[in-house]
Amino acid sequence: MSVNSNHQENKKICCIGAGYVGGPSMTMIAYKCPNLTIEVVDIDEKRIEAWNSENLSNLPVYEPGLSDIIKKVRHKNLFFSTNVKEAIASADIIFLSVNTPTKIKGVGSGKASNLEYLERSVREIACYSKGHTIIVEKSTVPVKTAETIKSILFSYLSKDSSNLKTYSIISNPEFLSEGSAIKDLESPDRVLIGGDDIEAVNQITDIYKKWVPVEKIIKTNLWSSELSKLAANAFLAQKVSSINSIGVICEETGADINEVAKAIGSDSRIGQKFLNAGPGFGGSCFKKDILSLVYICNFYRLDEIAKYWENVINLNDWQQDRISKLIIQKLFGTIQGKKIAIFGFAFKANTNDTRESPAIKISRNLILEGAHLNIYDPKVNEEKIETELRHSLSSSVNKEFKSTWVKNNSIEDSVKDADAVVILTEWLEFSEIKWKHLVGLMRKPSWIFDTRNILNKKDLEDLDINIWINGQDLKN
């Protein structure tokens, strides 16, 4: 499947998948490469309508800075549509940015990646592509997924010996951090391009060279590129679980996690990033990618390595259960009928993404104990919260489900008559709250549970409220 000797510049790009990866990534490429025409396609009509909305606050992805760039390139050299067939047929380069969730049934369920959407997209490419096409894996995929892609494509080519279609497969995983995706795209730590076809690799490299320093572009073989993405997320998730484990020790011994994290992070070998104690990692990648890594290890009978990475997830789950139990314990051992204000439902600040958010499991645990939740998040809408909670409570949900929580539009509404506030997302506005007024709206005795460690306990000492801050000993 080598590239033709034709050296003409590729000017048409199709991206299959208009989600958190495809939308922002193609927006940045369109902005930096005005000579390229890019069409982002998706079968979800509502999602495409949202990307094309004149009201930029309705974009399906919230990322600081995204709407500003969308305004500059949309309908110029960036287009969003449901015309999958036409976009594939006219494309020189196709980016695969489809969802690859963890399988929920069948062989490998709970660990292996579900490649249903990717396979469907590759079959469409095989049917509708023309001439030579470079296919770029942008989604996070298991190692050796490129073999699957090649196998599908070859099976279609073999049906017609006169078929003049050819393909090159490239791995170009994203390393975006939600909440700072635009910054990450504009000034990436590195761009990873894996492939065996040098000319195809160079064509993708030429795109990024428009704004990324060449020394930050790393070229590897396909398998190294695919594994590097999984490994990077696994290492970051491990760091989160590690600092949370140290935070629990701090609470028991009188140490302060902020001071310990500063001391640890000052070591250049470790670094300061991902050393904030919290309710555990969330998002679309960390858990999914570690589970994929565990599945690979099990497949190759690397059982001890599989257990090692599995424990990173186990500790993350334990942290969320620990926080839930601590809230119940502090509220006299029962929260039946009590109002609890949940501050933040997104898995992190500056995004409206709720996938695998710690808020889901903690909220679920509190609902099952009989609490009524007042949920406030500045970017997550009611529909998304309901979807996440209903799925999480699927085995326990009943007709009274909606009466167990309410979405509030203001901080004040959420704390009225509440017994406790639980900060689950580190939104800036939560660290700037004037608590004196809010405390007066709550039922006594009341609590603040700061799972994100964003409050300064000295600012709250004179208030008539009890405080728990993650990783700090507040007994003294």
Side-chain angles (χ1 to χ4, degrees):
M1 284 196 176
S2 62
V3 177
N4 295 343
S5 58
N6 187 352
H7 289 276
Q8 69 178 21
E9 184 180 19
N10 290 295
K11 293 188 177 181
K12 289 189 177 180
I13 292 177
C14 166
C15 175
I16 303 177
Y20 281 90
V21 175
S25 297
M26 294 304 110
T27 297
M28 184 59 67
I29 292 177
Y31 178 55
K32 296 295 185 178
C33 305
N35 61 303
L36 298 176
T37 299
I38 301 172
E39 187 167 2
V40 182
V41 294
D42 202 295
I43 60 173
D44 188 332
E45 293 183 2
K46 287 185 177 180
R47 180 179 291 176
I48 293 300
E49 286 176 7
W51 279 114
N52 285 321
S53 173
E54 291 303 315
N55 184 352
L56 293 174
S57 64
N58 290 335
L59 294 178
V61 174
Y62 172 74
E63 281 289 337
L66 174 60
S67 60
D68 294 334
I69 301 178
I70 283 282
K71 216 170 6 179
K72 297 175 181 177
V73 297
R74 194 176 57 185
H75 308 315
K76 295 177 182 175
N77 68 323
L78 176 67
F79 304 89
F80 295 91
S81 80
T82 56
N83 300 323
V84 178
K85 177 180 177 179
E86 293 83 350
I88 290 174
S90 63
D92 301 296
I93 301 172
I94 298 176
F95 284 83
L96 289 171
S97 298
V98 297
N99 192 19
T100 54
T102 301
K103 290 181 70 174
I104 59 174
K105 60 183 179 181
V107 177
S109 64
K111 294 178 182 176
S113 294
N114 181 355
L115 300 181
E116 173 190 358
Y117 306 115
L118 183 139
E119 180 179 336
R120 187 185 303 167
S121 298
V122 173
R123 290 183 185 278
E124 289 178 323
I125 293 171
C127 288
Y128 306 130
S129 61
K130 297 179 180 179
H132 182 75
T133 308
I134 298 176
I135 300 173
V136 183
E137 297 174 336
K138 200 67 180 168
S139 307
T140 302
V141 295
V143 183
K144 294 289 185 177
T145 296
E147 290 284 11
T148 300
I149 295 174
K150 289 179 181 179
S151 178
I152 295 171
L153 294 173
F154 271 126
S155 70
Y156 278 77
L157 291 176
S158 64
K159 296 176 183 177
D160 181 4
S161 58
S162 65
N163 200 315
L164 300 178
K165 298 178 183 180
T166 55
Y167 303 96
S168 293
I169 314 299
I170 299 294
S171 171
N172 173 222
E174 53 84 17
F175 292 98
L176 305 180
S177 177
E178 290 187 44
S180 62
I182 298 304
K183 179 183 175 183
D184 296 338
L185 287 165
E186 192 154 30
S187 302
D189 290 334
R190 77 291 200 194
V191 171
L192 187 57
I193 303 173
D196 302 322
D197 192 313
I198 300 303
E199 187 172 345
V201 169
N202 288 338
Q203 287 194 44
I204 303 304
T205 300
D206 287 342
I207 293 174
Y208 288 105
K209 280 169 61 177
K210 297 287 186 181
W211 77 97
V212 179
V214 67
E215 62 270 17
K216 288 190 174 184
I217 300 176
I218 302 172
K219 299 177 183 180
T220 70
N221 67 36
L222 272 170
W223 321 129
S224 295
S225 181
E226 289 179 343
L227 181 57
S228 293
K229 169 63 177 178
L230 298 181
N233 280 342
F235 271 58
L236 293 175
Q238 177 201 52
K239 205 170 180 182
V240 173
S241 286
S242 295
I243 197 63
N244 282 337
S245 72
I246 300 301
V248 178
I249 299 174
C250 288
E251 292 174 25
E252 296 297 327
T253 61
D256 186 319
I257 190 59
N258 294 321
E259 295 174 348
V260 174
K262 183 177 181 180
I264 295 173
S266 297
D267 188 327
S268 60
R269 296 169 300 176
I270 298 173
Q272 296 180 355
K273 293 183 178 181
F274 286 81
L275 287 183
N276 298 316
F281 54 77
S284 62
C285 292
F286 282 6
K287 183 175 181 179
K288 177 176 74 73
D289 291 354
I290 293 177
L291 289 172
S292 181
L293 196 58
V294 169
Y295 183 73
I296 292 169
C297 292
N298 287 333
F299 178 82
Y300 289 107
R301 302 306 304 162
L302 306 173
D303 297 336
E304 292 304 315
I305 300 175
K307 290 176 185 176
Y308 174 80
W309 288 112
E310 211 159 21
N311 279 332
V312 173
I313 294 176
N314 292 340
L315 197 144
N316 196 62
D317 291 338
W318 175 83
Q319 172 77 335
Q320 292 164 21
D321 287 333
R322 180 183 83 92
I323 290 172
S324 304
K325 291 175 182 176
L326 186 143
I327 293 169
I328 296 167
Q329 174 195 340
K330 296 295 185 182
L331 295 180
F332 308 116
T334 179
I335 55 174
Q336 179 69 42
K338 293 179 179 177
K339 287 186 179 180
I340 298 178
I342 301 296
F343 281 13
F345 205 81
F347 86 92
K348 63 183 290 190
N350 296 320
T351 180
N352 61 346
D353 194 354
T354 59
R355 289 175 290 181
E356 297 294 340
S357 172
I360 298 171
K361 186 173 186 180
I362 293 173
S363 295
R364 172 188 181 277
N365 291 345
L366 298 179
I367 287 174
L368 290 177
E369 286 289 330
H372 178 91
L373 306 185
N374 293 350
I375 302 173
Y376 171 75
D377 189 289
K379 292 297 178 181
V380 180
N381 61 38
E382 183 173 356
E383 182 182 4
K384 190 171 287 189
I385 293 173
E386 178 166 3
T387 298
E388 295 287 14
L389 288 180
R390 188 174 291 279
H391 180 264
S392 179
L393 289 159
S394 58
S395 61
S396 311
V397 72
N398 55 48
K399 62 181 180 180
E400 303 297 330
F401 163 72
K402 195 63 178 73
S403 67
T404 62
W405 64 276
V406 64
K407 168 71 163 67
N408 295 115
N409 294 320
S410 72
I411 290 174
E412 288 78 8
D413 288 344
S414 65
V415 302
K416 188 176 181 181
D417 297 325
D419 294 272
V421 169
V422 186
I423 301 174
L424 292 175
T425 309
E426 70 282 20
W427 288 103
L428 179 61
E429 65 181 280
F430 298 155
S431 63
E432 297 176 341
I433 289 174
K434 305 302 181 185
W435 286 98
K436 186 174 182 180
H437 168 62
L438 292 185
V439 168
L441 300 175
M442 299 175 70
R443 190 172 78 153
K444 302 293 187 282
S446 47
W447 276 86
I448 299 173
F449 297 94
D450 177 13
T451 74
R452 291 289 183 172
N453 205 336
I454 61 174
L455 301 182
N456 187 336
K457 61 184 178 183
K458 290 183 180 179
D459 296 339
L460 305 171
E461 285 177 349
D462 297 330
L463 300 181
D464 182 21
I465 195 165
N466 300 294
I467 306 159
W468 174 83
I469 300 179
N470 194 0
Q472 296 188 33
D473 177 15
L474 304 182
K475 301 171 189 174
N476 301 323

